[in-house]
Amino acid sequence: MDPAGNQQNHRMELQYDGSGLHGWAKQEGLATVEGSLEVAFSTVLGVAPTLQVAGRTDAGVHARRQVVSLRLPAGTDLPCLTRALNALTPAGIAVTRLTRAPHGFDARKDAASRTYRYFLSTAAVMSPFWSRYCWQAPGDLDLRAMRDAAAFAAGRHDFTAFTPTDTEHVFFDRLVLRCAWKRGGRGMMYLEIEAEAFLRHMVRTLVGTMVEIGRGERSLDGFRLLLQGAPRPAAGPTAPARGLCLWDITYERGR
């Protein structure tokens, strides 16, 4: 609660389909998750609270679990507000939970790690139910080589090669806690990667580069050199946004 005694810290969890959305951050004249939520909050409360998000997603990227910290008036009817937010935001955005949070909770700063999944299909024909959430890359891929590359990506490395050259990032070292390709059915597979934090486009460029390895267009030794701070042009293409999903956010117990 703030010194005036009328604001309390809260935690909001949501899911969204990134198709047709221009990412998390609000942008004038464009449909975004943050912008849609601010309009809904303003309609219900008369003012939009500041939303601190655990992970800012790019245009077209989905979220299975996104976490936001915010301050709301003391005594707010949270179930009623949740229903109102879901009624006032686009169908592709769902507020799944809204609760009181510990004093000082910050969804971004307190996050211990973020987990993403990138979905890929090698099928010649892909189900229309998956087409908005999966990159279709038909043909044979050497999954063993891609798994070896994913294992190399685990640990602390310089990921300069996997983020745009024009960037606001200053430090490019990131600690990847785990990284592995997993097989699904009917030509489906996905990369699951967990890290303390990510660079912009980092997961999608890792995927694009690993697909080149799977096609025999790039060597594993060459991939390892990329993890030593090679420039962006040395890595592979950035995979399409539609295959990427913010899968989970991990917090220390009690946060």
Side-chain angles (χ1 to χ4, degrees):
M1 190 175 295
D2 70 1
N6 60 0
Q7 293 281 311
Q8 295 173 329
N9 209 26
H10 288 75
R11 171 183 179 141
M12 178 171 63
E13 297 190 15
L14 61 151
Q15 299 179 332
Y16 48 86
D17 178 343
S19 308
L21 293 172
H22 292 266
W24 164 265
K26 61 182 177 181
Q27 301 176 58
E28 188 68 32
L30 296 175
T32 66
V33 182
E34 184 182 33
S36 298
L37 287 168
E38 286 194 353
V39 170
F41 272 113
S42 295
T43 301
V44 179
L45 303 177
V47 63
T50 299
L51 306 178
Q52 184 71 310
V53 69
R56 289 179 53 162
T57 51
D58 291 331
V61 176
H62 318 289
R64 169 184 171 268
R65 182 173 182 241
Q66 178 69 278
V67 181
V68 176
S69 52
L70 65 160
R71 298 182 69 78
L72 295 171
T76 297
D77 185 333
L78 299 181
C80 182
L81 178 57
T82 301
R83 290 192 295 271
L85 292 174
N86 283 322
L88 293 169
T89 50
I93 300 174
V95 177
T96 58
R97 189 180 182 202
L98 182 56
T99 60
R100 284 282 307 278
H103 177 73
F105 171 70
D106 185 301
R108 186 174 187 84
K109 294 179 181 178
D110 290 345
S113 69
R114 289 103 172 142
T115 299
Y116 282 88
R117 286 187 180 183
Y118 192 97
F119 292 89
L120 175 71
S121 172
T122 59
V125 178
M126 188 165 59
S127 166
F129 298 107
W130 268 103
S131 61
R132 288 154 58 104
Y133 312 107
C134 183
W135 177 25
Q136 184 181 19
D140 293 330
L141 292 176
D142 184 344
L143 185 56
R144 177 177 294 182
M146 292 169 66
R147 283 175 167 165
D148 287 343
F152 290 150
R156 186 174 295 281
H157 304 286
D158 183 337
F159 288 92
T160 300
F162 301 95
T163 193
T165 302
D166 184 10
T167 179
E168 296 179 356
H169 293 297
V170 177
F171 300 104
F172 299 89
D173 281 12
R174 293 294 185 271
L175 175 61
V176 173
L177 303 174
R178 57 191 178 94
C179 184
W181 281 98
K182 301 182 180 182
R183 188 186 293 278
R186 300 185 179 182
M188 292 286 297
M189 64 182 71
Y190 63 89
L191 179 74
E192 184 166 87
I193 180 169
E194 179 183 5
E196 293 178 331
F198 290 87
L199 300 169
R200 184 166 178 256
H201 293 180
M202 176 175 155
V203 179
R204 292 164 57 195
T205 309
L206 281 168
V207 169
T209 305
M210 290 181 192
V211 166
E212 289 188 335
I213 292 171
R215 289 172 172 164
E217 300 169 357
R218 183 183 295 270
S219 71
L220 285 169
D221 286 340
F223 180 79
R224 297 181 73 170
L225 291 175
L226 294 177
L227 298 169
Q228 298 176 19
R232 173 64 187 91
T238 303
R242 64 180 175 273
L244 185 61
C245 183
L246 175 57
W247 199 253
D248 203 3
I249 310 290
T250 303
Y251 292 91
E252 299 295 338
R253 180 173 295 182
R255 303 305 286 176

